[in-house]
Amino acid sequence: HELLALQLCILLLEKPTDDSVETVCAFITECGATLSDVSPQALNSIFERLRSILHEGAIDKRVQYMIEGLYAKRKDSFVTHPGVIPQLDLVEADDQVTHELSLDDPLDLEESLDYFSFDPSYEENEKAFVQLRREMLGESESELGSEDDDAGEESHEEQAGGGE
């Protein structure tokens, strides 16, 4: 799953511009901790490319400082940007599904999703989704009660507004 992240960085750094280097710096800041765990050699090659860009001096000073700041974050092991925030680590490793993607893979656009399609069984599907969410997140009825009440108020407002 790190393959796509690395391909993206390599693509952006092939012909470096201020914007592409800035994008890579922001991207590595966010996912650098995970990449250093999963694929340290590949991350080293990205940093070597950034170092050569820095030595070429063909980019703006601001972006050069961003690269230097990224090296400092790397030295601190990306401590301020963990790979997975503990509050969001809800799914056990055995239950996780990883989608393997590559920039070279054919793309299925699924253009049918760009258009609204009426769902005649919306209410039943919504109830099934709420139940599934409860099971997956381990939420109780009382935790979801306030959210369901908010949704109910919205539907009452829509019905009241629709009669005018």
Side-chain angles (χ1 to χ4, degrees), residues 9-133:
C9 290
I10 291 169
L11 180 67
L12 288 170
L13 295 177
E14 271 182 14
K15 297 178 184 173
T17 64
D18 290 345
D19 291 335
S20 67
V21 174
E22 185 175 349
T23 301
V24 168
C25 287
F27 186 72
I28 294 294
T29 297
E30 296 301 326
C31 66
T34 302
L35 288 175
S36 65
D37 291 341
V38 176
S39 184
Q41 291 177 334
L43 186 62
N44 286 341
S45 69
I46 298 296
F47 273 97
E48 286 302 316
R49 179 65 180 129
L50 287 170
R51 182 185 316 272
S52 68
I53 291 169
L54 194 58
H55 289 301
E56 290 170 7
I59 56 174
D60 190 49
K61 290 284 185 200
R62 181 182 61 84
V63 180
Q64 290 178 5
Y65 286 125
M66 287 183 75
I67 294 173
E68 292 171 4
L70 185 60
Y71 270 94
K73 290 174 187 170
R74 179 187 186 200
K75 183 178 180 184
D76 293 337
S77 302
F78 299 98
V79 76
T80 58
H81 292 85
V84 177
I85 300 171
Q87 295 88 348
L88 297 178
D89 194 14
L90 302 174
V91 181
E92 297 294 328
D94 294 338
D95 295 335
Q96 293 177 359
V97 176
T98 303
H99 300 279
E100 298 291 332
L101 299 174
S102 170
L103 289 179
D104 300 327
D105 292 345
L107 182 62
D108 180 15
L109 296 179
E110 296 186 49
E111 291 180 3
S112 64
L113 298 177
D114 290 342
Y115 304 100
F116 175 77
S117 58
F118 178 73
D119 183 5
S121 54
Y122 171 78
E123 294 294 329
E124 295 83 28
N125 291 338
E126 193 65 20
K127 288 176 184 175
F129 170 74
V130 169
Q131 181 62 31
L132 179 65
R133 183 176 69 181

Side-chain angles (χ1 to χ4, degrees), residues 148-164:
D148 291 342
D149 291 344
D150 293 342
E153 290 173 13
E154 290 174 8
S155 64
H156 291 300
E157 291 172 7
E158 289 174 4
Q159 291 173 355
E164 293 177 19

